[in-house]
Amino acid sequence: MAGQADNRAPYARIAAHYSELIASGELQPGTLLPSIKNLSEQWSVSTATAEKALRKLRNDGLVRGIHGIGTEVLDQPSPMSSGSQRQDRGRRTGSSWGDGERSDSHQAAVVPAPADVAQALDIQPGTEVVRRSRVYRDRHGIVAHSTSWIPSRYATLIPQLATSERLTGGTSLQLIAQATGHPISHRVDTASASLLTAEYVKLLELDPDNPPAEPVVVMTAKFVDSEGNVVEYGVDLGGPGRTWRTESEVSA
């Protein structure tokens, strides 16, 4: 474990290792993690570093400390990812999946652009666009229902954009950048809470007669290439109980 090449700080590497095991289901809820002393020995780090790794897992809501017993894995849905986070993940790994995720129900069609989509893509309402949708799931159920809206001219360059299958050879943004020679230069993200509508209930495969009362997270992402063209507008609808989390380093 500790000998693998990794540029992250040792505590972050240890925390990431157990985070992945938890997300994949290999470490089930109720499982106890190794003690600080055992972690220190297994990873050849100080006890302070081992304790910092466990503290990060606690802060991330993945485990809890039980006095006199140890550190226990919690059972809760993982956070959903924003469009920009999935773009970053796709650029690094070639896949937009998060830890323990899979996607299914891939559908694509050329449709008239609704007014809100047309505004985001800077086109006239009713103009033909490619609508691609898929459902991200993990062991807890639906993480998010995701829809990508893409100007139809890109389907002429990349026919598979309009096929109801998972894309091969990269994400939609990577394929468009490769076909046009114009990389994605910036993106605009939004996040909001919304009460469940009848449409949302259907997309999230919920019981229409007994939908959850709590609001869900709705995230959008608009991607612009180096020529100033809006190439994709994404809408991610989080499953009930899903939250959104982001993390960054803070310099003193």
Side-chain angles (χ1 to χ4, degrees):
M1 291 182 297
Q4 295 178 350
D6 196 317
N7 293 326
R8 290 172 293 187
Y11 85 90
R13 187 167 66 248
I14 297 170
H17 171 76
Y18 285 101
S19 176
E20 290 168 2
L21 293 180
I22 292 169
S24 68
E26 188 170 339
L27 285 180
Q28 292 292 313
T31 302
L32 293 179
L33 297 189
S35 66
I36 291 175
K37 180 181 178 181
N38 287 341
L39 277 179
S40 171
E41 294 173 350
Q42 291 172 15
W43 290 80
S44 300
V45 297
S46 67
T47 55
T49 296
E51 199 284 328
K52 189 175 182 180
L54 291 180
R55 184 165 64 246
K56 175 169 174 36
L57 291 170
R58 291 196 300 271
N59 290 340
D60 289 347
L62 299 177
V63 302
R64 65 170 179 169
I66 304 177
H67 182 69
I69 297 179
T71 301
E72 179 187 51
V73 175
L74 293 175
D75 185 17
Q76 63 178 20
S78 59
M80 64 181 291
S81 299
S82 66
S84 57
Q85 288 170 322
R86 292 195 182 280
Q87 182 204 17
D88 291 340
R89 189 182 299 131
R91 188 169 58 244
R92 293 194 311 269
T93 69
S95 172
S96 61
W97 293 346
D99 292 334
E101 282 186 353
R102 60 183 175 85
S103 61
D104 58 32
S105 304
H106 291 258
Q107 297 183 7
V110 177
V111 299
D116 59 326
V117 172
Q119 181 177 12
L121 293 176
D122 195 24
I123 58 178
Q124 291 296 315
T127 301
E128 287 192 339
V129 294
V130 176
R131 180 187 63 208
R132 294 190 57 82
S133 63
R134 80 289 297 167
V135 177
Y136 291 99
R137 306 177 194 268
D138 64 10
R139 62 191 178 89
H140 289 279
I142 290 182
V143 179
H145 182 282
S146 181
T147 305
S148 300
W149 303 86
I150 304 168
S152 61
R153 64 180 179 275
Y154 296 115
T156 303
L157 296 173
I158 313 161
Q160 71 163 317
L161 288 178
T163 61
S164 295
E165 298 176 358
R166 187 175 177 227
L167 296 176
T168 59
T171 64
S172 55
L173 293 169
Q174 290 172 319
L175 294 173
I176 291 171
Q178 292 167 7
T180 63
H182 305 314
I184 303 302
S185 61
H186 69 279
R187 63 201 181 201
V188 180
D189 297 274
T190 72
S192 61
S194 174
L195 295 175
L196 283 167
T197 64
E199 178 186 9
Y200 289 173
V201 167
K202 181 178 180 180
L203 293 177
L204 295 173
E205 302 173 10
L206 300 173
D207 180 357
D209 296 324
N210 189 31
E214 68 268 20
V216 293
V217 178
V218 180
M219 310 191 75
T220 72
K222 181 166 66 173
F223 299 92
V224 184
D225 70 13
S226 57
E227 297 296 298
N229 301 304
V230 182
V231 301
E232 185 172 315
Y233 175 62
V235 180
D236 287 282
L237 174 64
R242 303 287 176 166
T243 59
W244 174 64
R245 180 172 65 85
T246 185
E247 180 178 337
S248 60
E249 296 293 331
V250 178
S251 300

